[in-house]
């Protein structure tokens, strides 16, 4: 439905150094985005302003300079490392006489190229449609109103209104399909919760090495590439960390600075794996000069999707590039704050596995309980929670149950039934 740039499309990049820290973008990251989209960078135009100009975003003189470069290099597209308003985009296309795409449109294009699953393609199309609807302003100059006359009488609306109506209908269709997928995902999550298998979700800035780490932990071969947004569709695998500890490991889409809001909304069902996880592993490129800024950006997105209250451990990846040694950093209360590893060489992976095993062993309680014949209600609750591993009955009619359940459910049961703390025997 959407025209994407062909590989090797000749592009001129425009980057503005804005004094406002909130709207400032990174030029090197922008170049990586353009390369990931498959474009050929033929020139880079930089400028510096206190704030963007209303008409062309850049000044009129700089716009004329870019127009000359477009003709000189026979460029096919001009890419801006910033978000443009619809009017700025149209004004620029008029003076430059070629396609103009802003940072948001570029990220949407990369997502469109990377999406592989049915759900992923729907999510990307939904974000593209919402982005496109903001651009449907005077887009049709060849006619103002649909032609009348015999056989040509329209519904009496402008072409612009027709386009908006058709796009609105498509958005509703996609939302209905995504709702079905969300219900399927929810069923899967409920099944995992019933089976008492905790979920560990890998989150982090794009290209931080999440998929490489996922392959190490899950002994899998998920697609790995040194490019931005190599992973879009979430991947879940069961990982047996030890004889008594198993987890569901989830590899999710990477975040990026100023990630388009429509994309966050469209991928909300995918990111639900993050909000419902029992533990987040925040994978960080320890060799990146801008790692502190990337950490803040990821934490901001986690807050947006409501995952900022999930317990989080930082995984400082790529120590083979930063020169750090494998180690564990602890908080003042003795809990693990971060672990230093290299997913590429495997250094420190054993430390990470030990941390995961110790963490989830503390979250699970197992042992034997003895129930009197009159405590049938408690017995029924334990079976309903699916935590009973074996059961036997003695000569006095008492039930001896071997159980394994989460510490949270166990303490809730004790409180609800007024049972003593030493009710469970190891």
């Amino acid at each position: 439905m959407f025209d994407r740039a062909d590989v090797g499309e000749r592009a001129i990049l425009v980057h503005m150094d804005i004094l406002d820290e909130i709207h400032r973008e990174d030029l090197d990251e922008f170049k990586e985005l353009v390369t990931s989209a498959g474009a050929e960078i033929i020139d880079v135009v930089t400028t510096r302003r206190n704030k963007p100009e209303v008409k062309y975003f850049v000044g009129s003189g700089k716009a004329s300079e870019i127009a000359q470069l477009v003709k000189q290099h026979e460029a096919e597209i001009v890419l801006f490392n910033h978000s443009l308003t619809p009017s700025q985009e149209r004004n620029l296309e008029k003076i430059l006489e070629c396609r103009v795409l802003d940072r948001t449109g570029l990220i949407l294009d990369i997502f469109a190229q990377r999406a592989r699953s049915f759900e992923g393609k729907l999510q990307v199309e939904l974000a593209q449609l919402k982005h496109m609807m903001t651009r449907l302003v005077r887009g049709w100059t060849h006619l103002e109103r649909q032609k009348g006359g015999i056989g040509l009488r329209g519904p009496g609306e402008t072409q612009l209104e027709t386009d908006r109506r058709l796009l609105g209908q498509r958005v509703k269709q996609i939302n209905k399909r995504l709702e079905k997928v969300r219900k399927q995902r929810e069923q899967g999550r409920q099944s995992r919760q019933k089976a008492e298998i905790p979920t560990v979700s890998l989150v982090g800035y794009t290209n931080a090495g999440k998929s490489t780490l996922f392959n190490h932990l899950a002994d899998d071969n998920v697609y790995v590439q040194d490019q931005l947004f190599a992973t879009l569709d979430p991947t879940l695998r069961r990982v047996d960390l030890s004889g008594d500890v198993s987890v569901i490991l989830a590899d999710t889409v990477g975040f990026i600075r100023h990630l388009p809001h429509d994309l966050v909304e469209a991928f909300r069902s995918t990111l639900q794996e993050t909000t419902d996880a029992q533990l987040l592993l925040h994978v960080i490129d320890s060799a990146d000069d801008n790692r502190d800024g990337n950490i803040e950006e990821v934490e901001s997105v986690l807050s947006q999707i409501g995952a900022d209250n999930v317990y989080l451990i930082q995984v400082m990846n790529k120590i083979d590039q930063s020169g750090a040694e494998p180690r564990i950093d602890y908080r003042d209360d003795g809990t693990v704050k971060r672990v230093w590893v290299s997913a590429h060489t495997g250094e420190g992976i054993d430390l990470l596995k030990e941390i995961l095993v110790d963490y989830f062993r503390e979250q699970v309680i197992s042992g034997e309980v003895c129930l009197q014949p009159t405590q049938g209600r408690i017995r029924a609750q334990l079976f309903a929670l699916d935590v009973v591993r074996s059961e036997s009955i003695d000569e006095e009619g008492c039930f001896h149950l071997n159980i394994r359940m989460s510490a949270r459910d166990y303490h809730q049961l004790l409180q609800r039934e007024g049972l003593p703390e030493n009710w469970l025997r190891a």
Side-chain angles (χ1 to χ4, degrees):
M1 178 174 180
F2 298 95
D3 295 327
R4 292 203 298 269
D6 296 328
V7 174
E9 193 168 16
R10 297 166 63 81
I12 290 177
L13 313 189
V14 179
H15 172 79
M16 181 184 290
D17 189 8
I18 303 175
L19 296 181
D20 183 3
E21 187 67 32
I22 298 177
H23 298 96
R24 186 175 295 176
E25 302 290 0
D26 183 73
L27 179 56
D28 291 333
E29 181 180 84
F30 184 50
K31 290 179 180 177
E32 286 189 60
L33 280 171
V34 175
T35 303
S36 296
E40 177 190 355
I41 302 173
I42 58 175
D43 207 342
V44 179
V45 178
T46 59
T47 182
R48 185 182 179 89
R49 292 178 70 94
N50 291 331
K51 61 180 181 179
E53 199 265 340
V54 176
K55 187 173 183 181
Y56 295 120
F57 190 84
V58 296
S60 55
K62 185 62 69 172
S64 300
E65 178 187 330
I66 298 170
Q68 292 176 0
L69 289 172
V70 169
K71 292 179 181 178
Q72 178 185 335
H73 295 294
E74 297 181 352
E76 298 163 280
I77 188 170
V78 175
L79 300 169
F80 278 73
N81 189 19
H82 311 274
S83 293
L84 301 175
T85 65
S87 60
Q88 287 170 342
E89 207 170 278
R90 289 192 304 277
N91 293 336
L92 285 165
E93 286 187 342
K94 188 174 181 180
I95 191 174
L96 302 181
E97 298 181 350
C98 73
R99 289 176 56 227
V100 174
L101 202 62
D102 66 358
R103 180 184 173 87
T104 300
L106 179 64
I107 293 175
L108 287 171
D109 183 85
I110 295 172
F111 271 57
Q113 293 182 48
R114 300 282 191 274
R116 294 289 179 269
S117 69
F118 174 70
E119 181 186 11
K121 290 176 180 177
L122 284 177
Q123 289 170 327
V124 172
E125 185 180 350
L126 179 62
Q128 284 182 315
L129 285 169
K130 290 182 176 179
H131 183 66
M132 179 180 286
M133 290 175 77
T134 66
R135 263 69 183 154
L136 286 179
V137 181
R138 301 285 181 189
W140 294 80
T141 56
H142 61 283
L143 50 86
E144 176 61 25
R145 190 168 292 275
Q146 291 184 355
K147 293 180 180 179
I150 298 174
L152 294 173
R153 302 185 203 279
E157 60 184 356
T158 63
Q159 185 69 46
L160 177 62
E161 290 167 340
T162 302
D163 294 335
R164 280 182 175 157
R165 178 168 51 80
L166 293 174
L167 285 178
Q169 290 175 355
R170 179 61 178 161
V171 166
K172 289 181 180 179
Q173 290 176 354
I174 293 176
N175 279 325
K176 284 183 180 179
R177 292 184 180 182
L178 283 175
E179 187 58 36
K180 291 182 180 179
V181 178
R182 289 187 187 110
K183 290 180 179 178
Q184 293 172 351
R185 280 191 175 280
E186 185 59 33
Q187 289 174 351
R189 275 191 287 269
Q190 290 176 356
S191 298
R192 293 195 298 273
Q193 289 172 358
K194 188 174 181 180
E196 287 296 325
I197 304 177
T199 300
V200 178
S201 184
L202 300 180
V203 299
Y205 209 74
T206 182
N207 209 28
K210 295 184 297 299
S211 295
T212 306
L213 180 62
F214 181 91
N215 287 339
H216 256 293
L217 294 173
D219 193 21
D220 211 331
N221 58 349
V222 168
Y223 176 70
V224 174
Q225 189 67 34
D226 185 17
Q227 61 184 17
L228 303 185
F229 300 117
T231 303
L232 273 195
D233 302 311
T235 307
L236 285 79
R237 295 287 185 274
R238 175 172 175 147
V239 179
D240 297 320
L241 295 170
S242 65
D244 60 337
V245 177
S246 298
V247 300
I248 297 296
L249 195 63
D251 186 17
T252 59
V253 61
F255 303 145
I256 196 170
R257 189 170 288 100
H258 299 154
L259 187 67
H261 180 73
D262 287 340
L263 272 179
V264 176
E265 285 299 312
F267 277 76
R268 186 167 290 274
S269 64
T270 302
L271 295 172
Q272 192 70 27
E273 299 293 349
T274 299
T275 58
D276 289 345
Q278 281 69 49
L279 175 66
L280 299 183
L281 294 182
H282 180 181
V283 184
I284 301 164
D285 183 352
S286 62
D288 193 330
D289 294 334
N290 195 36
R291 76 181 188 192
D292 291 338
N294 295 348
I295 291 172
E296 290 180 8
E297 198 62 39
V298 171
E299 291 175 349
S300 173
V301 177
L302 290 176
S303 178
Q304 284 184 53
I305 63 176
D308 51 337
N309 59 346
V310 182
Y311 192 82
L312 182 146
I313 295 175
Q314 293 181 345
V315 180
M316 307 300 287
N317 190 25
K318 303 187 182 182
I319 60 173
D320 54 310
Q321 298 179 21
S322 64
E325 293 293 324
R327 70 176 191 271
I328 301 173
D329 295 339
Y330 295 91
R331 298 183 179 88
D332 293 337
D333 61 359
T335 58
V336 176
K337 182 177 183 180
R338 66 175 67 93
V339 57
W340 298 74
V341 307
S342 170
H344 179 65
T345 64
E347 294 177 272
I349 298 297
D350 289 341
L351 290 177
L352 178 57
K353 289 182 177 180
E354 288 175 14
I355 289 171
L356 293 175
V357 170
D358 290 343
Y359 178 81
F360 285 108
R361 272 182 180 158
E362 292 178 359
Q363 308 301 311
V364 176
I365 289 178
S366 60
E368 186 177 284
V369 296
C370 178
L371 296 176
Q372 299 297 321
T374 56
Q375 293 179 302
R377 186 179 66 176
I378 298 176
R379 176 177 175 273
Q381 289 183 50
L382 292 173
F383 274 99
L385 289 170
D386 197 22
V387 298
V388 179
R389 294 193 289 186
S390 64
E391 180 187 33
S392 61
I393 305 176
D394 61 21
E395 295 177 353
E396 298 177 358
C398 294
F399 300 96
H400 295 270
L401 282 70
N402 189 288
I403 64 172
R404 185 175 186 273
M405 62 193 301
S406 70
R408 181 190 60 187
D409 289 343
Y410 175 73
H411 290 298
Q412 285 180 349
L413 180 66
L414 293 185
Q415 187 176 13
R416 188 169 57 246
E417 298 296 333
L419 298 168
E421 284 290 334
N422 60 351
W423 181 57
L424 183 75
R425 292 178 294 181

